[in-house]
Amino acid sequence: EAMRLFTGIGLSEAKARETLRNEALSAQLRQAVLQARSTLGPALDKATGTLLYNAAARLRDPKHLSFLVGYIARREILTDLQLSGTVRSRYSPPAPAGSGAPLLTSALSPAALEYVKSHPLEPLDAADFEQACGVGVCVTPEQIEEAVEAVISKHRVELLAERYHFNMGLLMGEARSQLRWADGKTIKNEVDLQVLHLLGPKTEADLEKKPKAAKARLIPAERQKVAVVENGEVGTETQSLLEQLRGEALKFHKPGENYKTEGYVVTPNTMALLKQHLAITGGQVRTRFPPEPNGILHIGHAKAINFNFGYAKANGGVCFLRYDDTNPEKEEEKYFTAIREMVEWLGYQPYAVTHASDYFDQLYTWALELIRRGQAYVCHQKVEEIKGHNPPPSPWRDRPVEESLVLFEDMRKGKFGEGEATLRMKLVMEDGKMDPVAYRVKFTPHHRTGDKWCIYPTYDYTHCLCDSIEHITHSLCTKEFQARRSSYFWLCNALDVYCPVQWEYGRLNLLYTVVSKRKIIRLVETGAVRDWDDPRLFTLTALRRRGFPPEAINNFCARVGARDKMGWGRWMHPLASVVTQAVPQVGVTVAQATMEPHLLEACAREVLNEQAPRAMAVLEPLKVTITNFPSPKALEVLVPNFPADESRGFHKVPFQSTVYIEETDFREEADKGYKRLAPGQPVGLRHAGYVIAVQNIIKDASGRVIELEVVCTKSDMAEKPKAFIHWVSEPLVCEVRLYERLFLHKNPEDPAEVPGGFLSDLNPDSLRVVHNALIDSSVLSARPFDKFQFERLGYFSVDPDSEKGKMVFNRTVTLKEDPGKA
């Protein structure tokens, strides 16, 4: 029956079968066709069938389907323009991104589908709807002729100059904007006729292809300068990759249009609350980053920081840093401080720093109101009883409101022990979990409120209400909170307060590491790492200590998104990488992104190559004495800070008769392909302007080479050597720490991969300390976290352990990725 119905309105058999596989669409289309047939009879023309299909396919809220189908069946909505409000001009090429050129694929009016989406409450105002959708409007040929004539007159000079090379789509688009409901073909014919009348038939010159304009030089993504608005202040700064991708997030609702989001619950008071919300925010985008202050932020948090602050900044909005401090047992001052430091280190300034505890009084008042409305109750089931997804129903679910009010007050006064009573909300969550806990008893003093409270709200209760209080427009959460979406909407609506929209996105994880707070604590306790900021970890403090620039971390987060085009759907499309189990269907795409560390390292190299001045260091020194040194005292050599761009300055290094080179840069016998120093094979000294040749090899009693005696020749007088090597003279003695991956396997937490547990998977070579490395004196004034490229060795950062007379350097990354890692 359904096949006959669908093919009867003009669908091909293939399209009809495809439609039948979509149960929701199939049901809506069947309802639409049967309703239309009751008015028009069993024979529906293809144009009407197309309108019915488009209405059923595009209408998110089926409650208005019958209303729309009535207009289609009565022939009052006759075109897709009236139904959807969009039409593509055949003339219009896509406008270049960021050009500001108008798209001629324009929404010319609200049209029917957009109108019902914007008016979620019933009943709809029929007169207002008809006016918005052009019902009964008749555009005469005279009106079309006059409109086209006015547009051509406006562009007459350019038309005469460019003739048929002029963008005719511009004429078509401007005429359409004046004639909202006119037939597109009629407008096109009129444009063609009047252009022909003005210009005459096409000449040979008109038929020649217009020469292409020279391509604009592409500016590297990291260097594009844009005007941005942050917390109300306009400034110009480098546009991050994440901000350039913000176009993909245009699928988000606009502030105040929360109700247009699929799944959003509309109540009779929704529109009034949204009106109040807009009056308070002025239509500003508001996001928040809500970490728990019970640990140090890690690389996954960097993605959340970038999304929340980046999305707000890209849209001229603001972002709150809100500490989710509802569990006093695990919160410490050092975490509050470290979290803010890391947010600011990544380049973001919070609009305001708030705490869930700021709102404890209001949250408690709302809890009382929730009980009074019959939506919450005091329960005495034990934590063990209500764990999991199929706990037994609470025998206290239907206890009288007055009794729950008294018992909840007793909870507040400390009359119940921990675990003896909870306040639970009356709802079933999306994952089937029933009646989540809103308040529990804890006798631990709070970091900010002291002993005032012995009951504390849960995330399920607190988060959405804090978002409501702060008038957040977009509550961006990782996918594990998807099951809380139902409680998020339910609670705001149960209390009749402003309800933001929650959007979910996939988490960002890295291979070869752990980020769980509990597991990092175990690593610290067992001595596997020094602390939360050990450079082998992927906490943000560890990455900073190792020398990763914040720009590299931000670019990495953006590129994770770029790999998946940042396809945000109703549930946030995952920012999936090539190593992710990506789910392509829009609607349920919340797979997490699991990335290789070398991709982050690649981002670091890009930034450090531009930021880190060069210096020379020798990790395994071999003494070299120049027997014919041309001066009785040390010479000064000018070394460019950035050899590729000498305009960025120079630094001086001493050059005297004793220098040190890497042991590996000398061999007693040169193998085929070996280009560095060997007997009979000279090398150049970088930046010195001299070539050295081996004269004598000095060994210790064991036969180990401990010194070379060499002769030097000015570079312009010697034959060009096969290689140039780095060196130091009058160097500083420093400690250098070389890092490798902390774990041996990609997934150290996976029992199938590491049966003995993550602590059994530690890499014994994850840290190698070079105690007596030699580094040129140009780094003497460097401070902790200053970064350098040690030529030919890698990028290094000054560690905070550095002391006067003994600097310590961490290797951030090598100059090139080890092919074995990739």
Side-chain angles (χ1 to χ4, degrees):
E1 179 210 6
M3 277 292 289
R4 286 197 300 274
L5 277 179
F6 296 168
T7 54
I9 62 169
L11 294 188
S12 65
E13 285 194 13
K15 188 68 175 177
R17 287 195 191 93
E18 180 187 328
T19 302
L20 283 169
R21 285 195 291 270
N22 185 327
E23 291 184 14
L25 172 58
S26 181
Q28 288 199 179
L29 183 57
R30 185 176 185 279
Q31 175 189 334
V33 174
L34 292 175
Q35 181 184 337
R37 286 177 63 172
S38 68
T39 302
L40 297 172
L44 299 179
D45 61 86
K46 188 171 182 179
T48 301
T50 300
L51 290 174
L52 293 174
Y53 181 87
N54 288 341
R58 298 178 192 172
L59 190 63
R60 297 291 179 89
D61 189 346
K63 71 183 177 186
H64 293 310
L65 181 63
S66 179
F67 178 84
L68 283 184
V69 171
Y71 277 89
I72 295 170
R74 294 193 297 272
R75 308 286 193 190
E76 293 174 312
I77 289 179
L78 294 166
T79 66
D80 194 56
L81 179 60
Q82 287 179 287
L83 182 68
S84 66
T86 59
V87 62
R88 179 175 290 280
S89 165
R90 59 172 289 185
Y91 293 105
S92 59
S99 68
L103 288 177
L104 299 183
T105 310
S106 54
L108 300 175
S109 74
L113 288 168
E114 182 63 24
Y115 185 93
V116 297
K117 188 177 180 182
S118 303
H119 296 74
L121 300 181
E122 293 183 312
L124 294 176
D125 185 330
D128 189 47
F129 171 82
E130 290 171 8
Q131 182 179 2
C133 304
V135 173
V137 174
C138 178
V139 182
T140 65
E142 291 78 12
Q143 289 174 309
I144 293 175
E145 182 180 347
E146 288 174 8
V148 173
E149 188 176 316
V151 170
I152 287 181
S153 176
K154 175 182 173 183
H155 296 283
R156 182 183 178 86
V157 174
E158 298 100 309
L159 269 165
L160 290 172
E162 298 183 37
R163 291 182 58 78
Y164 288 97
H165 289 139
F166 183 82
N167 179 12
M168 302 300 172
L170 183 61
L171 307 180
M172 184 77 176
E174 290 189 12
R176 292 215 71 139
S177 67
Q178 296 178 35
L179 304 167
R180 294 170 63 182
W181 307 113
D183 178 67
K185 289 183 180 178
T186 306
I187 293 178
K188 178 193 173 301
N189 291 337
E190 186 62 31
V191 168
D192 289 346
L193 185 64
Q194 291 198 30
V195 169
L196 179 64
H197 180 71
L198 175 66
L199 304 179
K202 290 183 178 180
T203 65
E204 288 187 12
D206 294 326
L207 295 172
E208 291 178 2
K209 286 187 177 181
K210 187 177 181 180
K212 290 183 179 179
K215 288 185 177 180
R217 184 174 65 88
L218 292 177
I219 301 173
E222 292 83 351
R223 296 185 183 177
Q224 292 184 16
K225 298 287 184 180
V226 291
V228 298
V229 182
E230 182 174 12
N231 300 334
E233 295 184 2
V234 180
T236 302
E237 64 176 43
T238 302
Q239 184 183 34
S240 77
L241 292 173
L242 180 68
E243 289 160 9
Q244 293 170 49
L245 291 171
R246 68 185 182 278
E248 293 294 332
L250 290 177
K251 297 169 186 172
F252 285 0
H253 67 284
K254 294 178 181 177
E257 295 185 354
N258 305 27
Y259 57 88
K260 291 187 177 181
T261 305
E262 184 181 351
Y264 190 80
V265 180
V266 177
T267 71
N269 205 27
T270 292
M271 304 311 285
L273 289 168
L274 289 174
K275 186 176 180 181
Q276 293 172 12
H277 161 72
L278 287 174
I280 291 169
T281 66
Q284 180 184 57
V285 167
R286 288 186 168 202
T287 61
R288 82 290 166 272
F289 173 56
E292 293 180 70
N294 61 358
I296 298 296
L297 302 183
H298 55 70
I299 188 68
H301 291 112
K303 176 178 172 180
I305 292 169
N306 271 275
F307 282 171
N308 281 286
F309 283 91
Y311 181 73
K313 179 187 284 190
N315 289 279
V318 298
C319 183
F320 292 73
L321 169 58
R322 186 206 307 144
Y323 294 107
D324 182 24
D325 57 342
T326 58
N327 188 356
E329 293 173 346
K330 297 182 179 180
E331 294 155 10
E332 295 182 42
E333 174 61 29
K334 66 178 181 180
Y335 298 136
F336 286 86
T337 304
I339 286 170
R340 182 165 185 176
E341 279 183 3
M342 289 301 98
V343 168
E344 294 177 349
W345 177 64
L346 288 177
Y348 295 108
Q349 285 295 326
Y351 170 69
V353 178
T354 60
H355 305 75
S357 57
D358 295 339
Y359 312 119
F360 276 179
D361 289 317
Q362 178 62 69
L363 294 172
Y364 177 74
T365 300
W366 274 337
L368 294 174
E369 181 62 23
L370 201 63
I371 297 171
R372 292 189 190 102
R373 295 187 179 204
Q375 301 289 4
Y377 62 96
V378 172
C379 175
H380 304 289
Q381 284 178 296
K382 302 298 181 185
V383 174
E384 298 74 23
E385 294 180 68
I386 60 176
K387 273 186 176 179
H389 294 290
N390 295 297
S394 172
W396 294 280
R397 196 172 200 266
D398 297 319
R399 77 187 329 160
V401 166
E402 294 75 16
E403 188 178 324
S404 280
L405 285 170
V406 171
L407 292 171
F408 189 50
E409 181 67 9
D410 289 343
M411 286 173 61
R412 188 184 71 82
K413 291 179 178 178
K415 294 183 179 180
F416 288 103
E418 293 189 11
E420 291 181 358
T422 57
L423 182 70
R424 295 175 68 182
M425 298 176 280
K426 290 185 180 180
L427 80 148
V428 179
M429 300 176 75
E430 289 197 3
D431 59 359
K433 190 173 182 179
M434 192 171 182
D435 295 1
V437 172
Y439 271 87
R440 71 277 205 215
V441 176
K442 286 182 181 289
F443 288 107
T444 306
H446 190 274
H447 173 76
R448 299 183 72 246
T449 61
D451 293 325
K452 179 178 179 179
W453 300 94
C454 65
I455 55 171
Y456 293 98
T458 62
Y459 176 92
D460 289 322
Y461 179 77
T462 307
H463 190 69
C464 62
L465 295 181
C466 288
D467 281 353
S468 178
I469 292 169
E470 294 176 350
H471 282 272
I472 301 304
T473 57
H474 300 78
S475 182
L476 310 179
C477 305
T478 47
K479 68 165 188 170
E480 65 263 34
F481 296 103
Q482 179 180 327
R484 268 74 172 257
R485 189 188 324 110
S486 54
S487 65
Y488 188 105
F489 290 155
W490 177 89
L491 184 52
C492 289
N493 290 326
L495 288 168
D496 214 16
V497 297
Y498 162 69
C499 182
V501 178
Q502 176 174 312
W503 296 84
E504 300 89 16
Y505 58 87
R507 291 184 64 172
L508 169 59
N509 291 331
L510 279 182
L511 298 172
Y512 296 101
T513 191
V514 297
V515 294
S516 156
K517 295 166 187 171
R518 180 177 57 83
K519 290 176 180 175
I520 291 176
I521 288 172
R522 289 281 292 129
L523 290 170
V524 174
E525 289 173 344
T526 58
V529 298
R530 292 173 56 181
D531 207 338
W532 289 82
D533 65 347
D534 187 295
R536 290 167 290 180
L537 296 173
F538 283 88
T539 61
L540 294 185
T541 50
L543 290 170
R544 179 179 64 169
R545 184 165 189 167
R546 183 158 169 171
F548 279 80
E551 300 91 334
I553 294 172
N554 292 341
N555 289 349
F556 173 66
C557 292
R559 289 180 184 180
V560 173
R563 285 171 177 266
D564 196 45
K565 305 297 185 186
M566 262 186 71
W568 308 64
R570 165 56 190 96
W571 327 129
M572 208 74 120
H573 202 301
L575 303 182
S577 76
V578 291
V579 294
T580 300
Q581 294 77 40
V583 185
Q585 299 87 350
V586 173
V588 207
T589 49
V590 290
Q592 65 186 19
T594 303
M595 309 296 292
E596 291 272 3
H598 72 79
L599 299 173
L600 174 59
E601 292 169 3
C603 290
R605 289 188 188 93
E606 287 181 7
V607 174
L608 291 170
N609 186 51
E610 294 291 323
Q611 290 186 356
R614 279 37 170 181
M616 291 190 289
V618 173
L619 301 188
E620 297 175 344
L622 175 60
K623 184 178 178 182
V624 175
T625 301
I626 303 174
T627 58
N628 64 335
F629 193 74
S631 172
K633 60 180 182 179
L635 303 175
E636 277 191 344
V637 173
L638 282 179
V639 177
N641 295 328
F642 296 88
D645 183 3
E646 295 189 354
S647 67
R648 297 178 69 179
F650 293 79
H651 60 271
K652 296 177 180 179
V653 297
F655 177 44
Q656 64 166 353
S657 59
T658 299
V659 299
Y660 297 88
I661 66 172
E662 292 284 358
E663 278 190 350
T664 52
D665 281 344
F666 170 74
R667 288 185 187 175
E668 291 188 73
E669 294 183 11
D671 300 332
K672 184 178 180 181
Y674 182 77
K675 296 181 179 180
R676 282 166 277 172
L677 186 62
Q681 183 167 290
V683 294
L685 296 178
R686 281 182 63 78
H687 310 298
Y690 283 90
V691 174
I692 60 172
V694 176
Q695 186 181 43
N696 187 32
I697 301 171
I698 301 171
K699 301 181 181 181
D700 63 14
S702 66
R704 178 173 171 267
V705 177
I706 57 172
E707 185 180 350
L708 299 177
E709 291 179 343
V710 302
V711 292
C712 69
T713 308
K714 278 206 162 189
S715 297
D716 55 4
M717 298 177 64
E719 184 179 339
K720 185 177 180 180
K722 291 183 178 180
F724 286 82
I725 63 173
H726 64 280
W727 53 276
V728 292
S729 185
E730 296 184 15
L732 305 173
V733 178
C734 300
E735 179 180 307
V736 173
R737 298 169 182 172
L738 306 174
Y739 299 98
E740 296 294 340
R741 289 170 179 161
L742 182 59
F743 295 98
L744 297 171
H745 291 82
K746 285 188 174 184
N747 300 292
E749 299 170 276
D750 184 354
E753 200 168 332
V754 185
F758 72 100
L759 288 176
S760 71
D761 195 47
L762 293 169
N763 177 7
D765 300 319
S766 63
L767 171 61
R768 180 166 73 91
V769 179
V770 180
H771 293 283
N772 294 297
L774 303 179
I775 300 175
D776 78 50
S777 56
S778 66
V779 304
L780 182 60
S781 60
R783 296 182 175 185
F785 305 116
D786 283 355
K787 297 163 181 57
F788 298 91
Q789 183 197 107
F790 291 166
E791 297 199 35
R792 297 177 60 219
L793 297 179
Y795 295 101
F796 292 76
S797 177
V798 182
D799 189 87
D801 284 346
S802 296
E803 299 174 350
K804 187 175 182 180
K806 186 63 178 287
M807 299 183 74
V808 179
F809 287 87
N810 296 317
R811 185 172 66 190
T812 307
V813 288
T814 54
L815 290 181
K816 292 183 180 180
E817 175 58 38
D818 178 354
K821 290 183 182 178

